[in-house]
Amino acid sequence: MRCSSLLLATVLASQASADCASDAEIAGFVQDYLSNTATSALVPGGTIDDALCTQAKLVTAMEPHLGPVVGYKAGLTSKPAQERFGASEPVQGVLFRDMMLEDGATVPIQWGARPVFEADLILVVGDAAINEADTPQGVMAHISSVRPFIELPDLTLAEGEPITPVTLTAIGVAPKLGILGSDIPVSDPAAMTQALQNMTVTLSAADGEVLAQAPGAAVMGHPANAALWLMSKGIEFKPGDLISVGSFGPLFPPAKGNGGASVTYDGLPGNPKVSVKFE
């Protein structure tokens, strides 16, 4: 079974009493999402259980268009992001295969109804023993590589619609596109654990203007804590899964990029960089 099938079965079994969005609401959302049309929130008055049930149904409806789920994302992992959306903890979502683009890709400047970009990072799961980890170094012992990542979400919802932890969770935490940098192998988990915490992540516009800068510890004290949080919510990782740890700073509209964006990770091996162009 693929990630999404397991997700659907697990969520529906554990939340049989949840008030999911209807099939018609899911179909309407998918149509609007694919046409970059601002749309209505799903289960705006619901609970997180309602949102997770809705997310599972939405994933099934999205896969024919975006390919299978290849990983998971923790959103709202920094204090500024939580404050912006009124959250007391992160939110969980998914990553689809066909949203992933390679370093240097060019994307339309209007890649969604409400497009934004952010500095992120991907952890690539090496083996299933990660699910027994309980510390950041324990997580990193089962990560095969780290990849620079610029996420290009689409907040999707029309002006006036509530963007809350519930409505964000219902839509899978707004996945749309993402730019993947080269693999950085984890040959020394202890050293990589330290590097991830101490690195400086810098998000810049295409003209070199620094838009945001933060230490690795800005994400939940350590980026690997995003994986631990996802596991605490019932996610079971498999080898090859991608884990998006969340934003290292604010989200920006594409106009702020002045034609693109780049992220550098000073302190990781080679001080890697990933970039994207907007047109």
Side-chain angles (χ1 to χ4, degrees):
M1 296 175 73
R2 293 296 306 168
C3 295
S4 57
S5 300
L6 288 168
L7 176 68
L8 178 61
T10 301
V11 170
L12 292 182
S14 63
Q15 297 162 356
S17 62
D19 186 11
C20 289
S22 68
D23 291 348
E25 288 171 325
I26 294 289
F29 180 91
V30 172
Q31 182 177 9
D32 288 342
Y33 173 96
L34 295 173
S35 63
N36 291 340
T37 301
T39 191
S40 300
L42 298 174
V43 295
T47 65
I48 285 292
D49 279 355
D50 300 334
L52 288 169
C53 180
T54 297
Q55 182 186 127
K57 289 179 68 174
L58 184 60
V59 164
T60 299
M62 288 285 211
E63 282 192 316
H65 308 284
L66 300 178
V69 169
V70 293
Y72 302 91
K73 57 186 294 191
L76 310 186
T77 51
S78 65
K79 286 298 182 183
Q82 290 179 14
E83 290 169 0
R84 176 179 176 182
F85 295 104
S88 58
E89 67 173 346
V91 290
Q92 67 186 80
V94 294
L95 301 171
F96 295 97
R97 182 193 64 197
D98 296 346
M99 66 179 278
M100 297 298 179
L101 305 174
E102 291 300 314
D103 185 14
T106 298
V107 303
I109 195 167
Q110 198 69 27
W111 61 80
R114 296 182 65 182
V116 289
F117 65 93
E118 63 183 54
D120 201 328
L121 185 79
I122 291 286
L123 307 177
V124 182
V125 176
D127 61 77
I130 189 175
N131 295 296
E132 306 304 319
D134 57 8
T135 65
Q137 187 166 329
V139 168
M140 296 311 301
H142 304 287
I143 294 295
S144 60
S145 65
V146 172
R147 300 188 72 172
F149 187 50
I150 301 174
E151 190 174 5
L152 309 175
D154 178 10
L155 296 179
T156 308
L157 305 181
E159 293 290 344
E161 290 291 312
I163 302 180
T164 67
V166 167
T167 60
L168 281 172
T169 298
I171 63 173
V173 195
K176 192 72 172 203
L177 295 172
I179 311 299
L180 278 170
S182 299
D183 282 289
I184 305 166
V186 180
S187 55
D188 183 338
M192 184 62 82
T193 302
Q194 193 67 38
L196 285 171
Q197 183 165 19
N198 295 337
M199 68 181 175
T200 298
V201 181
T202 304
L203 174 64
S204 302
D207 61 4
E209 177 189 1
V210 173
L211 300 176
Q213 192 170 72
V219 169
M220 303 181 72
H222 193 286
N225 281 328
L228 291 172
W229 182 83
L230 286 166
M231 289 188 289
S232 79
K233 298 302 179 179
I235 298 297
E236 184 172 345
F237 295 120
K238 301 183 301 303
D241 278 351
L242 306 181
I243 305 172
S244 163
V245 304
S247 177
F248 288 90
L251 284 64
F252 293 94
K256 281 286 190 179
N258 289 316
S262 65
V263 180
T264 56
Y265 303 79
D266 292 315
L268 290 189
N271 298 323
K273 179 179 179 179
V274 63
S275 64
V276 60
K277 298 176 182 177
F278 306 151
E279 68 172 14

